[in-house]
Structure formats: C-alpha cells, structure tokens
Amino acid sequence: MSNPSAERGVHWFFKGARGIASLPAIILMSAFVGFCGFAVEAGIPLGETVFMTGMIWALPAKVLLVGSILAGVSLPAAFITVALSSIRLMPMVAALIPEIRTEKTPTWLLLLLSHFIAITAYVFTMERIRDVPREHRVAFFAGFGTTVTSANIVLVAVIYSTVANLPAMVAGALFFLTPVYFLTSIWASTRDRAGHIAMIIGLALGPVFHQVAPEFDILYAGLVGGTLAFVADRVWKRRSGE
Amino acid sequence: MMSYAALDAWWWPYVFIAVAGWLATDIWRWLGVLVGNRLKQDSAALTWVRAVATALLAAVIAKLILYPTGELKNVPVALRLIAVSAGFAAFLIFGKRIWIGILVALALLIGGQLLLG
C-alpha cells in the first residue's frame, strides 16, 4: 500500500535537500571554511570543532565561543556571552514557525527541527516557502536543514587538516564573506521598515557600545537600537497617517 | 575558575561546548518555537522583537568588520570599510542580488591588498 501524501512529503524533503546547491548554502559552506581556519588557528582540536559545528550550528555563536575560549573566561561567562548574542535566534524561529507549521504539526517535531534554524536556513526558507504546499513545508525545511548541517559537519572534518595551509589573503577573504553575506541577505529578507531602520542604527551602535561597554555591546546595541527603530517606525506611521 | 582549560579530562571541553554553545543557543530556538506557536502576526510586540533582533545582528556585523578575528585583522580597516560599503551599494543598485554585493566586496578586498602590496 502506498500513501500518496507521504510520498509527496518525501518528494518535498528531497526538494529541500537540493537547496544544498543554492547560493545561500554555498556561501555558508565558504564561511565554514573560514571558521574552520579560525578554529585551527585558535588551537581547537578536530573533534571539538566538528562537535561545535553540529551542536551550535549558528556561525556567530561559534565564533564568539571560540573567542571566549581564547580569552580563557569561565563557563558561566562564556554561556552568558553566547546566550546574549543568540537571543536573536528566538524571534527568527518565532517568525519562521508560523510559516511552516500546520495545526497538525506536533510541537516536539518543531522543537527538534528548530535546531537547524540559523541565518542561512532562515533566509533560504523565507524566500522559497511560499512555493511549497503548506502540508509539505515541514518536510521541505527538514530536508534543507538536515542536509546543509550534515554537509558542513563533513566539510569541517575533511578540511580541518589542510585549512591551515590556506594563503593569508584567501583566509582573510573567507572571514570577510560572513559579515558581507549577513549584511546583504538580512537586508534582502527584511520586509518591514522598522527592520531596515534597526539595521542601520544597529550597525552604528555596535561600535559605539563596543567602546563604552565591550562585554555587553551586542545586547545594548540590540535593545537600544531595536527600540529606537520601533519608536521611529511608530512615529513615522502616525505622522503619515498609515 | 571553570575555564575551558580548567580540567585536563578529555570530556571537559565537550561539556564546555555543550553548555556554553549548544544550550546557550538552543534554549532560544526552543523558546522561539513556543512563542511562534502562539504568535499573532502583525502585532506591535512582534515588530519590536524583530527590530531588536535585527539591531543585534547588525551590531554583530559591524563588529565582525571593525574588530575581526583571524587573518582579516591584517587588512587595513579603511579597505575593509570601503569594500563592504561598495559591496552593499552594488547589492542595492543591482536589484538586491546578494551575490553581486559579495563579489564586489571580495574583489575590492583582494584587489586592494594586491595594490597595497
């Protein structure tokens, strides 16, 4: 007995998996080459680097964790640093979930799949999810998320021993790829005006708070910048009578 | 005090990564699922949360460019800023194509270094 709905689910899972050949996935893999080089330089052993890739998945959180390890901070301090910088994952997940779930999707499945949400998966899914029938969206996302995560785990394991031999200019360029990619892809996937204002204010406030309070610069820039952007958007709306 | 190098046991770095890395990121994802399951689209609270998240992310981007780690540190800050600004401008001008922005930024970063010797 074949179940046509389940069969179509498998079809959409593989369609999501094929997203490994998309621009966001390819850029992410290049960024992971850069991260792997950073981990080698920081003296993080192979097993731990691979473990980090699979367990944390979000690239900025990994860079911060390696930075904390290099600085020799305590476990609670490292936890707070990474947790504060990863608060952004919550609204990203909260915005993505209503797009992919149906009333029948079990919460445990969403909790499990949420691990694969990071900036790249967010941008990729938000761009394409409207062309996927609602009942197959979870399968589509699962296909993309599991494939891209597994591919990067394998990539990091394979290149670990050779990545230290990268020419300095290439290694620098790979490190540059991440912020440029984040900047353009987040700008492109932000649809509301408040988001664009927040982006501009956040770019300016990041360095300002880095001078004033380097420990919590990201958090302060986010809270102050986001609130300012929110208020500015409200005022703008009222003025123009929207 | 409980740093990454505090214990000599093979498993300690993994515990450190699991707590300060995995738990520190996945709690927000789980919270996001619980919130997202109840979330009202177009509410003011959602707009605010999204704005805070975007500003947080923008601050991360600015820091990655201004205070980089690894090899990027050796590239002059002026060249980094010119490359990312030109890349972003090209991205906006050519129909918000991400690959154009990246191509222009990387070309300027590498080209600039070759010119500077």
Side-chain angles (χ1 to χ4, degrees):
Chain A
M1 279 271 294
S2 72
N3 180 339
S5 172
E7 244 168 56
R8 244 172 293 141
V10 171
H11 167 78
W12 282 106
F13 180 91
F14 282 110
K15 220 157 187 187
R18 258 190 280 158
I20 188 76
S22 66
L23 180 74
I26 291 166
I27 288 164
L28 181 68
M29 284 190 274
S30 318
F32 263 94
V33 175
F35 165 73
C36 191
F38 178 48
V40 171
E41 201 184 312
I44 311 288
L46 167 69
E48 290 161 37
T49 306
V50 170
F51 185 65
M52 262 183 212
T53 305
M55 292 300 275
I56 305 174
W57 185 226
L59 202 50
K62 274 198 287 284
V63 173
L64 275 176
L65 181 64
V66 173
S68 299
I69 289 172
L70 279 179
V73 304
S74 68
L75 179 57
F79 176 84
I80 291 170
T81 304
V82 175
L84 287 180
S85 80
S86 304
I87 295 174
R88 63 180 171 73
L89 287 170
M90 188 183 87
M92 268 164 53
V93 173
L96 191 71
I97 291 299
E99 296 281 342
I100 64 171
R101 76 183 194 106
T102 67
E103 305 91 78
K104 277 185 261 168
T105 314
T107 302
W108 64 263
L109 181 61
L110 293 173
L111 287 171
L112 209 67
L113 286 178
S114 73
H115 179 70
F116 300 104
I117 300 178
I119 300 168
T120 300
Y122 177 82
V123 171
F124 176 89
T125 311
M126 284 306 211
E127 268 174 17
R128 283 154 232 245
I129 204 70
R130 274 167 210 168
D131 305 326
V132 181
R134 184 161 277 276
E135 71 264 38
H136 299 307
R137 287 180 179 181
V138 169
F140 180 81
F141 176 76
F144 180 74
T146 54
T147 306
V148 172
T149 306
S150 315
N152 279 292
I153 291 172
V154 173
L155 177 76
V156 165
V158 169
I159 61 167
Y160 185 88
S161 56
T162 51
V163 77
N165 301 325
L166 274 184
M169 209 179 276
V170 175
L174 288 176
F175 256 93
F176 200 57
L177 196 56
T178 306
V180 175
Y181 169 58
F182 284 174
L183 185 66
T184 48
S185 63
I186 295 162
W187 187 275
S189 69
T190 298
R191 292 203 178 84
D192 56 336
R193 181 177 50 209
H196 285 133
I197 302 171
M199 189 106 197
I200 294 163
I201 300 179
L203 284 170
L205 284 185
V208 170
F209 280 112
H210 185 72
Q211 303 300 326
V212 183
E215 298 252 329
F216 299 105
D217 48 2
I218 303 277
L219 183 72
Y220 288 160
L223 281 173
V224 175
T227 307
L228 282 176
F230 175 75
V231 172
D233 180 60
R234 295 277 124 171
V235 171
W236 192 326
K237 244 178 216 163
R238 204 160 304 154
R239 287 253 174 94
S240 61
E242 278 174 37
Chain B
M1 180 199 93
M2 276 182 82
S3 74
Y4 173 81
L7 287 177
D8 211 11
W10 70 267
W11 47 264
W12 172 247
Y14 290 92
V15 172
F16 194 93
I17 293 166
V19 175
W22 168 66
L23 200 62
T25 48
D26 263 7
I27 44 166
W28 299 115
R29 292 182 174 113
W30 297 330
L31 222 54
V33 171
L34 300 179
V35 172
N37 261 343
R38 285 165 186 76
L39 210 64
K40 282 203 186 88
Q41 295 286 331
D42 310 318
S43 63
L46 175 60
T47 308
W48 177 72
V49 171
R50 218 171 26 209
V52 169
T54 308
L56 270 162
L57 217 49
V60 173
I61 294 167
K63 280 186 69 186
L64 284 173
I65 293 167
L66 287 175
Y67 318 106
T69 39
E71 287 295 341
L72 195 54
K73 248 189 286 195
N74 306 322
V75 180
V77 64
L79 181 56
R80 282 181 250 144
L81 286 174
I82 290 168
V84 71
S85 308
F88 190 68
F91 156 80
L92 288 180
I93 292 165
F94 296 102
K96 292 192 185 171
R97 285 198 187 87
I98 293 165
W99 67 269
I100 291 180
I102 289 170
L103 209 68
V104 170
L106 286 187
L108 281 174
L109 189 84
I110 291 174
Q113 285 178 86
L114 291 175
L115 276 180
L116 293 170

